[in-house]
Amino acid sequence: MKTDVPERFLDYDKSLACIHCGLCLGSCPTYLETGNENDSPRGRIYLMRALQDGRLPLGDTAVRHIDLCLGCRACEAVCPSGVQYGDLLEHTRDHIEHHYQRSTFQTFLRRIAIEKVFPFPWRMKLALLPAKITRALHLQGLLPKFASEALSLIPEDASAEPLPLVSPPTMPSASAPKIGFISGCVMSVLFGKTNAASVRLLNRAGYEVVTPPEQGCCGALYAHSGQLKLARACARHNIEVFEKHNLSSIVINAAGCGSTLKEYGHLLCDDPKWAERARQFSTKVKDLTEVLAAENSALRTAHSAFTVTYHDACHLAHPQHITKQPRQLVRALVGDSFVELPESDVCCGSAGSYNLTEPEMAERLQRRKVDNILKTGAKVVVTTNPGCLLQIRAGLKKAGAHDVEALHIADFLDRAAR
């Protein structure tokens, strides 16, 4: 029985590329946890088509299964038909957010607490003050579980470290390539020292680094949560800002942001004024590990006495297909002390703001990830995304694994290069 057919939101040709072969099932974190077909990529694509056709109402059940998706895009990496699941998901979520009435709490959490705070560094700094006070007064035990879990994600050494507009290479050269640096929202507030380490590594590799202070949120948070109009506005702003500096490339050290930055061309493909500018911008974007792996002279070989493992951040491994370079950089420093992490590319449960909007599933995936880390016997786990770091650190602490350190790859490399 058909309900009212909604306005077109789904690219039907892209959705029909799914042949329901099931090869995605073993790579989908939520399906691995629930075993529910509706929580698998092919199941969700079926739900998307049913919503588009008007065969299924936009109600709690359908939205629940779509909400539970992490957007990790692990399914894309194994799909033999090349299904563009991320694109289908973002447009479906955009439709949901504009036509489905959420609870008061979820509306406040998504529209205010997350979308009005996270993309704005100065607002995030203000929002962190109550957390710092709560910790200083040791009041965590009085908080409800949701608030306590959220507080556990905030690093105790959170630091903002402003970067200069121009950072010259360590060995000055008239021919030094000039590259841009995306400082990021969460990175600039919670991981300022990591940003500084990233720039130092690039300077040692011979690059002049330009960090425009006018840059804004990359739009990833908006794109992944179904606010495509806001994501496009972020893209236009950043394109305009970075175009002024005549850069050979633009570097990002946060995997989730990098995935969206590299897809500006797709995000603005229907905008005649911006489509080509967006495409040119995206072709310049590189993850930090892509640049450093080509410049091993930036590192010193220093084999490690302890075991190190590596967690693949979803949006680096799957949409960007970058898995070799980070391992190459870590292995260059620790040699045979490197050990592979079981299910390295299975999401840790962070997924942007997912661990706030879906805390129960996020906790299950966090526990799964930490269990795998502990199985390796590693004393250091390296990754490339701030959300993964926050999630893994909180999980290790919860598990009592105080002797295991989680580090961003920039901090890991910078520490060894000093």
Side-chain angles (χ1 to χ4, degrees), residues 107-415:
T107 299
F108 171 79
L109 180 63
R110 292 165 183 264
R111 303 287 87 85
I112 306 298
I114 294 174
E115 292 177 8
K116 297 295 185 185
V117 175
F118 284 16
F120 305 94
W122 68 270
R123 294 181 187 177
M124 204 186 311
K125 290 175 185 177
L126 289 176
L128 288 175
L129 289 177
K132 292 180 178 179
I133 294 171
T134 300
R135 276 184 174 160
L137 298 177
H138 303 289
L139 300 176
Q140 299 96 311
L142 301 178
L143 298 174
K145 183 180 179 183
F146 171 80
S148 178
E149 289 288 324
L151 181 64
S152 72
L153 295 171
I154 302 170
E156 294 184 6
D157 61 345
S159 63
E161 192 166 325
L163 298 171
L165 173 61
V166 178
S167 301
T170 303
M171 297 294 288
S173 168
S175 60
K178 185 165 72 168
I179 62 176
F181 183 72
I182 305 280
S183 55
C185 304
V186 172
M187 288 299 298
S188 64
V189 175
L190 300 183
F191 296 99
K193 292 178 181 178
T194 303
N195 272 352
S198 300
V199 172
R200 278 194 298 272
L201 288 166
L202 292 168
N203 291 155
R204 291 190 192 109
Y207 293 97
E208 177 181 304
V209 181
V210 178
T211 310
E214 317 95 294
Q215 64 179 285
C217 174
C218 68
L221 184 145
Y222 295 129
H224 299 161
S225 64
Q227 299 290 335
L228 292 178
K229 183 178 179 180
L230 294 174
R232 292 184 182 111
C234 290
R236 294 185 187 99
H237 173 76
N238 283 320
I239 291 167
E240 194 168 39
V241 167
F242 280 89
E243 278 179 340
K244 301 173 184 176
H245 296 281
N246 190 29
L247 305 165
S248 60
S249 59
I250 299 168
V251 178
I252 177 69
N253 62 2
C257 302
S259 173
T260 295
L261 290 161
K262 288 183 177 182
E263 293 175 352
Y264 275 6
H266 175 73
L267 192 62
L268 296 174
C269 65
D270 295 326
D271 187 331
K273 181 181 176 182
W274 289 89
E276 179 58 23
R277 293 167 72 182
R279 188 194 67 78
Q280 290 185 18
F281 177 95
S282 290
T283 59
K284 292 184 177 182
V285 177
K286 296 183 184 298
D287 183 74
L288 177 70
T289 61
E290 288 183 276
V291 177
L292 295 180
E295 298 288 348
N296 280 330
S297 59
L299 308 174
R300 297 176 189 166
T301 301
H303 289 276
S304 173
F306 48 83
T307 305
V308 179
T309 192
Y310 174 74
H311 159 70
D312 284 288
C314 295
H315 281 84
L316 192 66
H318 306 313
Q320 299 185 63
H321 310 292
I322 298 173
T323 58
K324 180 181 177 181
Q325 294 92 326
R327 286 173 170 79
Q328 178 183 337
L329 290 165
V330 174
R331 284 182 184 276
L333 292 180
V334 304
D336 293 339
S337 294
F338 178 79
V339 60
E340 281 290 350
L341 174 64
E343 297 187 338
S344 178
D345 60 351
V346 172
C347 186
C348 64
S350 173
S353 57
Y354 185 94
N355 49 8
L356 299 178
T357 59
E358 300 293 340
E360 182 182 344
M361 180 57 72
E363 186 175 16
R364 289 169 67 172
L365 292 169
Q366 179 190 58
R367 187 162 54 246
R368 186 183 188 114
K369 180 61 63 176
V370 168
D371 286 346
N372 278 323
I373 291 170
L374 297 180
K375 286 176 187 175
T376 67
K379 295 304 178 185
V380 175
V381 54
V382 177
T383 191
T384 56
N385 193 58
C388 300
L389 268 181
L390 298 176
Q391 184 80 343
I392 291 172
R393 284 178 177 176
L396 289 169
K397 185 176 181 180
K398 200 182 300 181
H402 303 293
D403 60 336
V404 182
E405 187 177 19
L407 285 174
H408 189 284
I409 195 166
D411 294 313
F412 180 74
L413 299 177
D414 183 60
R415 181 186 293 181

